[in-house]
Every structure is written in structure tokens, then in C-alpha cells.
């Protein structure tokens, strides 16, 4: 154990409690997006639904670990002066859960990039390898943190492992975001309305990629600059939530983007593969909406004429009908 100054103690505890509060809020958003997905895409393939359910369960378990860790820091060890140097098992498991969630999302977007690039292994395979390496680094971090039981001891012996994991996570984020944006721009056709959809998808991709990568980089900076203050850990609490929300938001965004794509069906363009659902079953009504619309109008005119003879009514009806398509 190492002596912790009062200033560092307060800063570390503040970062932990704020990180826990942010995690709780983001978990609520994950839950809302999960419910929204199952309501909007009830006809998705079972495998796709399992991915969404897995992300939700892992995110929920991560929140439980954060809550347990904060209880240990703030309740079980209340008044302990060097408590912020101690590593509880819940903290180590939360790091491993973050890594698992991260690799699921990374591989999901890597697969989208693979399809968008028409099977370019030179781009997607290195991304997949780096994503798996990031998980390995996180598992090593978890094991050694729990074994050593001290952030200071871990920093002295295995500082490079945690650093490597954060660096790999940021690199994969930038590679995926850059690759998706590049191939989305290549798909531009010069059609104003369809290009507008591609611009929306590109902007969405950049926003999600930057959000996760910037948070990871900020956590890395605090880890390198102030390893004895747990600001980096409070930020790390939120990383898995951002990845989960990024994944679920991309799934739910298909509803709006697919509607925009169908409105362009007459031009022969399809929604970019990054947002297309796999194996989605459409109803007959959905298929009819894609065809040519036919409108039939029937006009009927009836004229009435009367002569001067009482009690005698002569009616002349003239009707004509016209239809136009």
C-alpha cells in the first residue's frame, strides 16, 4: 500500500461516485434502447436478438459490479485513509466486462465494414485481431489487479498492460470509423436525395466513433498523468455504456434510415449495408409499399330535365367514367 494524500483521496472518491452516477444514467438509456429494439424489430433473426440481449445483460452486470465496488469503497471501508489504493474484485470484473462489451461492438462494426467494403480482408482482419488483443490485455489487467490488490503495485509492474488495452481500443475505434466513412463516401452516386442519406449515416458513424474513442483517450491520459488518482477509473466505468449505446443506437437507427431508403426506391438505390437488417421478414403490406402506386378515379355526372307536361318526368342520364393511372 502507498500513502494517499487527502486531496487525492477526495478526488478519487469523487470520481468514483460521479462515475457510478453516470453509469446508472447510461444503463437506463441502454435499457430504453433495448426495449425499443424489441418493439420495432420483432421480426429480426433470433441471432440478432440474442446479440442485443447479450449486450443488455452484460451492461446490467457491469452496473451491478460498479454498484458493488462503490459500496465497498464508501460503506464497508468508510474512514480508511488509503482505501483508494485498494482493488476490490468488483473493480477487476468490471474491467473484464468492459472488454467483452467492447469486443462485441468492435466485431459487430468490423463485420459491417467487411460487407460495406465487399469483403476486404486487408482492412477487417487487422481490426479484428487488434480487438481481440485488447480483450486479452483487459483480462490480464483483471487477473493482476485482483491478485495484487493494489493500484500502486499494479502500476509498478503491469502499467503497460492497461495502457496497451486503452490504446488498442482507441486505435480500433479510429480504424472502424475511418473505414466506414471512407466506403460510405465511395458509395455516393451524385443523386442528391440518396447522398443526403449517406451523409446522415456518415455523420452518425463519426459521432459514435468519436464519443467512444475520445472517452477512452481521456481515461488513458489521466491514467498516464495521474495514476494515483482514480479519475481514469471513473471514466473507464462509462466506456462500456457508451459502446453498448452505440451498438443499440445503430440497430434502432435502421427504422428511420430504412424509411428514407424506401422513399428512394424508384431511383434503384438501397440502404447502405451498415444499417441493413439481416434476415428481416417483411409483411405483404410492406412489399406493396415498394411497388408502383395506382390511383383510379371514377367521375359520374347525372343531368335531370323536366318538360311542361304535368305529372310527367323525363330523365336523361348521361354518365361517363374516366380512369387515369
Amino acid at each position: 500500500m502507498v500513502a494517499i494524500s487527502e486531496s487525492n483521496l477526495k478526488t478519487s472518491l469523487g470520481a468514483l461516485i460521479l462515475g457510478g452516477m453516470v453509469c446508472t444514467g447510461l444503463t437506463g438509456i441502454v435499457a430504453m434502447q433495448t426495449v425499443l429494439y424489441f418493439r420495432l424489430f420483432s421480426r429480426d433473426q433470433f441471432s440478432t436478438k440474442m446479440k442485443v440481449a447479450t449486450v443488455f445483460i452484460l451492461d446490467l452486470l457491469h452496473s451491478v459490479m460498479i454498484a458493488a465496488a462503490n459500496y465497498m469503497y464508501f460503506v464497508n471501508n468508510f474512514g480508511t485513509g488509503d482505501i483508494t489504493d485498494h482493488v476490490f474484485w468488483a473493480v477487476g470484473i468490471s474491467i473484464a466486462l468492459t472488454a467483452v462489451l467492447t469486443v462485441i461492438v468492435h466485431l459487430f462494426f468490423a463485420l459491417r465494414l467487411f460487407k460495406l467494403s465487399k469483403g476486404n480482408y486487408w482492412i477487417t482482419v487487422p481490426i479484428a485481431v487488434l480487438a481481440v488483443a485488447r480483450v486479452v490485455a483487459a483480462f490480464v489487467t483483471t487477473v493482476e489487479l485482483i491478485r495484487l490488490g493494489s493500484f500502486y503495485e499494479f502500476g509498478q509492474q503491469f502499467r503497460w498492460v492497461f495502457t496497451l488495452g486503452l490504446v488498442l481500443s482507441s486505435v480500433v475505434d479510429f480504424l472502424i470509423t475511418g473505414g466506414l466513412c471512407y466506403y460510405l463516401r465511395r458509395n455516393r452516386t451524385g443523386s442528391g436525395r440518396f447522398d443526403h442519406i449517406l451523409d446522415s449515416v456518415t455523420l452518425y458513424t463519426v459521432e459514435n466513433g468519436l464519443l467512444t474513442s475520445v472517452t477512452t483517450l481521456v481515461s488513458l491520459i489521466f491514467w498516464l498523468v495521474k495514476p494515483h488518482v482514480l479519475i481514469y477509473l471513473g471514466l473507464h466505468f462509462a466506456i462500456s455504456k457508451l459502446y453498448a449505446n452505440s451498438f443499440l443506437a445503430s440497430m434502432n437507427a435502421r427504422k428511420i434510415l430504412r424509411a428514407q431508403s424506401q422513399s428512394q426506391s424508384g431511383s434503384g438505390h438501397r440502404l447502405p449495408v451498415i444499417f441493413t437488417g439481416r434476415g428481416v421478414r417483411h409483411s405483404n403490406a410492406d412489399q406493396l409499399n415498394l411497388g408502383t402506386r395506382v390511383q383510379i378515379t371514377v367521375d359520374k355526372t347525372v343531368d335531370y330535365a323536366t318538360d311542361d307536361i304535368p305529372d310527367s318526368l323525363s330523365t336523361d342520364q348521361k354518365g361517363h367514367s374516366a380512369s387515369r393511372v
Side-chain angles (χ1 to χ4, degrees), residues 41 44 48 51 108 111-112 115-116 184 194 201 250-251 253-255 257-258 261 269-280 282:
F41 302 100
D44 269 2
T48 305
K51 292 176 187 177
F108 169 79
L111 179 60
R112 291 292 184 262
K115 293 180 179 179
L116 191 63
L184 284 171
F194 182 72
V201 176
S250 68
M251 299 296 291
R254 293 178 296 160
K255 186 71 173 179
L257 293 174
R258 184 176 295 160
S261 178
H269 300 304
R270 298 181 59 191
L271 185 66
V273 70
I274 181 178
F275 284 107
T276 55
R278 182 180 178 183
V280 180
H282 299 281

Side-chain angles (χ1 to χ4, degrees), residues 302-314:
V302 180
D303 297 331
Y304 296 92
T306 59
D307 54 19
D308 296 331
I309 301 175
D311 302 326
S312 175
L313 180 63
S314 173

Side-chain angles (χ1 to χ4, degrees), residues 7-8 37 45 107 119 129 135 156 198 206 225 250 261 282 317:
S7 175
N8 288 344
Y37 166 80
Q45 276 192 340
L107 294 179
V129 171
V135 177
Q156 292 295 110
L198 287 180
V206 171
V225 175
S250 68
S261 178
H282 299 281
Q317 299 183 354

Side-chain angles (χ1 to χ4, degrees), residues 99-121:
V100 174
L101 267 170
T102 301
V103 74
I104 290 175
V105 177
H106 280 161
L107 294 179
F108 169 79
F109 283 109
L111 179 60
R112 291 292 184 262
L113 179 58
F114 178 77
K115 293 180 179 179
L116 191 63
S117 64
K118 296 180 175 59
N120 192 329
Y121 289 97

